[in-house]
Amino acid sequence: MKSFRPAIHGWLLLLPAAAFLALFTHYPAVATFWHSFFSTPKGNRPARFVGLMQYETMLDDPIFWIALGNNLVFAAATIPLSIVLAIVMALWVNEKIAGRGLLRLAYFTPTMLPMIAVANIWLFFYTPDYGLLDQIRGLFGLPAWNWLGSRDTALMCLIVVTVWKEAGFFMIFYLAALQQIPPDLGEAASIEGAGRWYFFRRVTFPLLMPTTLFVLINAVINAFRLVDHVVVMTRGGPDNTTSLLLFYIYEVGFKFWDIGYAASLTMVLLAVLGLVACLQFFYLDRRIHYQ
Amino acid sequence: MSARVGRWLNTVAAWMLGILWLLPLLYAVWTAFHPAEFSTRFAPLAPLTLENFEAAWAAAPFARYFLNSFLLVTAILAGQLVLCTLAAFAFARFRFPGREIAFVLVLVQLMIMPDVLIVENYATMRRFGLIDTVAGMALPYVASAFGIFLLRQAFKTVPKELEEAARVEGCGTLGILWRVYVPLARPVYIAYALVSVSYHWNNFLWPLIVTNSVETRPLTVGLSVFASTDQGIDWSIITAATLLASGPLLVAFLIFQRQFVQSFLRAGIR
């Protein structure tokens, strides 16, 4: 009798959280999978089983491929850029540099702003003709440029905003990791005559590896999860050049109300996130352990 | 000699990046505090004004949006604290069949967040009749894998002797949790609370989908509605509204900088 009590208490304690998790994470994930095999109910026509039809539609849908491609470009650009910048920032504010406190603040502040506010401010920045960017161009006698309205620059503009917002956030994790590295390592290296770059490449960077892994996972998730700036700044335009996967799901699900198709699109997103999770658990976690 | 030059170059580069990083915010502050004709002209002696803030405040129900955001953040945090505490305690100190699997199932939410399950969660909310309510916005987030994980780590470091002492004093399971574990995990609670509040104060897509009236919209959604439809392109007023919306968190951050940064670190490094 006595041995059952902890088990019952354990489950009772877990129950409320488990119920909510099941309802809003596990059930919707499974339901997405299930509904991706059904048509979208319309009026008095209920959803019917259509097999892989939604997926076939998806493969033939040019906008899906554009959104997926954009998202990959977006991830491939924002992730390395923000990580490299974060490391550089952390190295700087870890040294005895003039105005260090203020500098840390400057780098970190964008993190505390809502993406929606950030997007508004940058929208103003990018405004053709009298936004700050075009005013600077004007000083050099260059003509106005519609940054967000042209296919060549729109996605790049969103990438810049994202890097600006994320780098400072990642910086603090690197800063904490740098402060864990014993200073005598650096002293020993400089006695041996090792240059700064050599020291960074052979000592600091490998020691930062666990932090890089943590930051990398976060950056990948953010690249597929955060579309607030797309909603405010471009709405996916011009010509879908800034549509990201989750934004396209949002459009299909809540503008066109095509629930079945949105479900199959969501499956792609879930597959991407699942892949990241597997990579973390089975591959990276095992390779990167120095301590 | 060359070391000093290198150091100097380093400082200059660091500050150039710093200024670049502050520029958008400074630009917004400039525009918001000056009359519209100076919004893109940088005269150092341009007159300061609060009119843009007054105009923004009058043009949209920001007071209501503030209240909604406040209610939303409070509801989510309250729910998270209760649910995550209980679940974390179960994982940290109880042996029960299925514990390992249950923990892995909880961790799934770290990757697959409610943020990406918008279509199905919307259908669920409609079934419950919770569209356009604070509850509808809050419920998907109240059970947080992140919070459970964080608190479990904290609870695991509590010495078992303390628990046994409390048991001898006649405390039950919940009594021990409340009197021993919760007080000892206080720094983790503060860290988690700050991270949660800043996340949900800034959250946008799900509230945008679930709400459709002034009575429930949080600030972020209110701001986007305001900026996209009501104002055309009066940038002075839009930036004023933008600063209003980010103000509370930004001011709190500037005052409690150290706590915020510590919290993000504590939450990040597991």
Side-chain angles (χ1 to χ4, degrees), chain B residues 205-223:
Chain B
L205 190 63
W206 176 245
L208 172 73
I209 291 168
V210 173
T211 61
N212 47 36
S213 71
V214 167
E215 280 68 39
T216 48
R217 249 175 228 150
L219 263 173
T220 46
V221 180
L223 178 64

Side-chain angles (χ1 to χ4, degrees), chain B residues 41-233:
Chain B
R41 253 184 46 219
F42 303 99
L45 292 174
L48 291 167
T49 176
L50 288 175
E51 268 171 34
N52 297 321
F53 288 92
E54 282 164 29
W57 190 265
F62 278 108
R64 181 73 215 202
Y65 293 156
F66 266 101
L67 177 69
N68 296 338
S69 265
F70 178 77
L71 289 176
L72 173 66
V73 168
T74 318
I76 290 179
L77 185 62
Q80 282 175 337
L81 289 182
V82 173
L83 294 183
C84 296
T85 300
L86 296 177
F89 190 41
F91 282 125
R93 283 295 140 90
F94 288 85
R95 306 198 136 272
F96 51 88
R99 186 176 74 161
E100 309 305 320
I101 291 179
F103 192 56
V104 171
L105 281 175
V106 167
L107 292 187
V108 163
Q109 202 212 27
L110 288 179
M111 286 289 162
I112 298 170
M113 285 169 269
D115 294 355
V116 299
L117 297 165
I118 46 180
V119 177
E120 287 298 332
N121 277 341
Y122 184 84
T124 305
M125 287 308 170
R126 198 162 51 182
R127 237 170 280 144
F128 291 160
L130 289 175
I131 298 298
D132 204 24
T133 62
V134 172
M137 277 190 284
L139 285 179
Y141 293 99
V142 292
S144 144
F146 176 57
I148 294 172
F149 187 86
L150 216 57
L151 288 170
R152 168 182 170 268
Q153 300 298 90
F155 290 164
K156 278 190 145 185
T157 62
V158 173
K160 279 232 163 100
E161 294 78 40
L162 287 177
E163 181 181 340
E164 273 141 31
R167 210 176 280 282
V168 171
E169 301 272 322
C171 274
T173 300
L174 287 177
I176 290 170
L177 176 61
W178 182 243
R179 299 234 162 84
V180 179
Y181 284 88
V182 171
L184 285 171
R186 232 184 74 145
V188 177
Y189 277 106
I190 293 174
Y192 180 67
L194 284 180
V195 172
S196 166
V197 166
S198 25
Y199 186 93
H200 290 288
W201 186 274
N202 294 345
N203 199 14
F204 174 68
L205 190 63
W206 176 245
L208 172 73
I209 291 168
V210 173
T211 61
N212 47 36
S213 71
V214 167
E215 280 68 39
T216 48
R217 249 175 228 150
L219 263 173
T220 46
V221 180
L223 178 64
S224 84
V225 171
F226 173 74
S228 62
T229 58
D230 300 2
Q231 291 310 304
I233 42 166

Side-chain angles (χ1 to χ4, degrees), chain A residues 45-178:
Chain A
R45 199 146 44 96
R48 63 192 166 78
F49 185 79
V50 293
L52 291 172
M53 200 194 80
Q54 301 284 14
Y55 291 95
E56 281 160 20
T57 311
M58 188 166 77
L59 293 179
D60 290 336
D61 177 6
I63 302 177
F64 160 71
W65 289 107
I66 292 173
L68 186 64
N70 288 341
N71 217 151
L72 293 178
V73 170
F74 182 76
T78 55
I79 296 166
L81 268 177
S82 50
I83 289 181
V84 168
L85 270 174
I87 294 177
V88 171
M89 287 170 170
L91 285 171
W92 274 335
V93 297
N94 192 39
E95 284 173 24
K96 285 191 184 62
I97 207 165
R100 186 167 71 167
L102 203 61
L103 207 52
R104 278 186 195 174
L105 196 65
Y107 292 152
F108 187 71
T109 303
T111 301
M112 296 309 298
L113 301 171
M115 189 46 136
I116 215 76
V118 164
N120 267 335
I121 296 173
W122 280 86
L123 207 55
F124 185 26
F125 234 74
Y126 287 137
T127 309
D129 227 7
Y130 65 106
L132 189 64
L133 221 50
D134 264 9
Q135 287 200 40
I136 294 170
R137 276 169 65 93
L139 293 180
F140 296 100
L142 291 165
W145 180 257
N146 192 352
W147 296 92
L148 291 167
S150 61
R151 306 174 49 114
D152 302 330
T153 48
L155 187 61
M156 191 196 71
C157 288
L158 295 190
I159 290 170
V160 169
V161 174
T162 309
V163 171
W164 177 77
K165 179 137 170 55
E166 278 188 336
F169 180 56
F170 297 150
M171 172 197 73
I172 56 166
F173 299 110
Y174 280 112
L175 185 57
L178 283 175

